[in-house]
Each structure stands twice: as C-alpha cells, then as structure tokens.
Amino acid sequence: MKTQGARPSSRGNGPGHVPQAVASIAFAVLAMALLARHLQPLPGDTLLARLAVEHRPHFVVVVVQVITATGTGAIPYVLAAVAGFLLGAQANSLPRRQAVFRTAAAVAVCAGWLALGQALRFGIMTAIARPRPPESDWITHASRYSFPSGHATTSAMAAGIVIVALATRRPVGHRLWIALVTCWAVSIGASRIYLGVHWATDVIAGWLLALAWTLLGATVSAKTRTGSPGS
C-alpha cells in the first residue's frame, strides 16, 4: 500500500509576491529614470509644483500643514503599535502572562518593521541624494535630500501595517478603517507636493517603496504563522 506523504505547499511565495515584485521594479525604474536625467525633475514634476505654488489660499495652507505634521514622528508609531495590538489580540485565549507577552511582542515587531523601513528609506535617500525643489517654493520645514519622500514613505508604511492587521483580524468596521488610513497616507504624500518640499516623483517613489515593504512584511508574517506550532 502506498503511503501518502505530505503535500507540497501550494502557497508559493505568498499572495503578495507578485504585487511586491511589481512595486519593487516600478520603484527601481523610477530611480533609474531619475539617475539617467541627473536627478532633474521628471515630466509632471514641474507642472504639479507650479500648480501647487499658484493655488495656496491661507486656510488651505494651514489645514495642509496640520495634515503633513501627522506623517512623521510619534503618530506613525502609534498606528504601528495599534496594528501590533490587533495582531496580538489572538493571544487572548492564552494564559494571561503569555497573552501579554505575545501582544507586546506583536507591538514591538510592527514598530520595528516600521523603523527598519525608515532606515531603508534613509539609506536610499542618502545614496541617490536628489535635491529638493527650489527653497523659495517651500512653506514648511524640510531637511536633507528629496527622494523618496520621508513623510510619504513613513505614513504609507504605517498605513500598510495597519491595513495588514485589519485585513488579518477583520474587526467590526475594518473596511471603513482601511479606507480612512489609506486616505490619511495619500493626503500626507499630496501635502508634501503642495507645501513645495517634494517633487511628485519623490512621493510616488515613497508610496511604491512602502507598498513593497508592506507586502514583504505581510509575506514574512504569513509564513511565520504557517510555520509556528499550533497554526
């Protein structure tokens, strides 16, 4: 009698493998296009920058400055911590001490993934060293180089971590929260163009990098859960 062996896994590289590859390739193509043009603005960069400068009523500027301030600092890490708490909620069925430990570990992993993503972005930014738009167009503080946008990347990474947690745990109203956190990340990126401190391609690059990083994290997380005892 033939013994039935273990079936090979049909998961392959995970559902995020193809989109992750597409986002990574798109980011690389954009970076190479910039380098080929000696870091000068790409088509669309100067048009959007000019439109932003020409349409700046005071009350809109104030609102956009408030929005952009949420894209860095503590708020993205608070969101990452919330995502970790959601992912750790499955530990509630465990003994109290073990549940607390696993929830704290999930929070630390989410925050750490965001920090690693920021470090990756900083390394790429330093290596490419793209100048920012003319300082005369700025209406907020900015420092260092331009590509990819730090605010756009950080907020999109934080949003991505939250979206993965919401999609995994599916709490009540998770679709609404996914839409809200997505709109928040998009508004952060758009604010950087409007305030004159980034080219549009800096922001697009930040979103692509964040998407690739989020999907990589989701794939690693799925494989970890699949391979863990009792999964």
Side-chain angles (χ1 to χ4, degrees):
M1 178 177 177
K2 186 176 179 180
T3 304
Q4 183 177 1
R7 293 182 180 179
S9 173
S10 60
R11 295 179 181 270
N13 290 303
H17 175 67
V18 172
Q20 178 195 336
V22 171
S24 301
I25 292 169
F27 177 86
V29 168
L30 184 53
M32 288 187 291
L34 273 177
L35 293 171
R37 288 176 60 94
H38 305 288
L39 305 178
Q40 295 303 306
L42 294 177
D45 277 338
T46 51
L47 172 62
L48 289 174
R50 186 173 70 253
L51 287 173
V53 170
E54 292 174 353
H55 298 84
R56 285 176 172 172
H58 177 69
F59 76 95
V60 174
V61 170
V62 171
V63 170
V64 173
Q65 287 175 332
V66 171
I67 291 172
T68 207
T70 67
T72 189
I75 290 179
Y77 281 92
V78 169
L79 291 175
V82 169
F85 184 82
L86 283 172
L87 290 172
Q90 61 188 332
N92 289 339
S93 59
L94 299 173
R96 180 177 177 81
R97 180 176 296 181
Q98 189 175 354
V100 169
F101 174 79
R102 291 188 64 170
T103 300
V107 169
V109 167
C110 288
W113 192 251
L114 177 58
L116 284 173
Q118 284 187 301
L120 173 63
R121 200 275 321 176
F122 187 87
I124 294 171
M125 176 200 69
T126 305
I128 294 179
R130 185 189 194 186
R132 290 181 180 272
E135 194 168 353
S136 58
D137 293 345
W138 300 7
I139 49 175
T140 192
H141 172 74
S143 60
R144 300 190 180 93
Y145 299 113
S146 188
F147 181 94
S149 165
H151 281 67
T153 307
T154 299
S155 59
M157 284 181 177
I161 293 169
V162 172
I163 290 169
V164 169
L166 288 168
T168 301
R169 301 301 300 154
R170 295 181 179 274
V172 175
H174 68 278
R175 289 186 178 86
L176 173 61
W177 287 111
I178 288 173
L180 288 174
V181 76
T182 301
C183 289
W184 169 72
V186 170
S187 69
I188 296 296
S191 75
R192 306 309 286 170
I193 303 168
Y194 186 79
L195 296 174
V197 292
H198 278 291
W199 302 111
T201 44
D202 299 332
V203 171
I204 293 170
W207 289 338
L208 290 171
L209 179 61
L211 177 59
W213 190 248
T214 298
L215 292 173
L216 175 61
T219 300
V220 171
S221 176
K223 288 185 176 182
T224 302
R225 288 198 307 272
T226 301
S228 63
S231 61

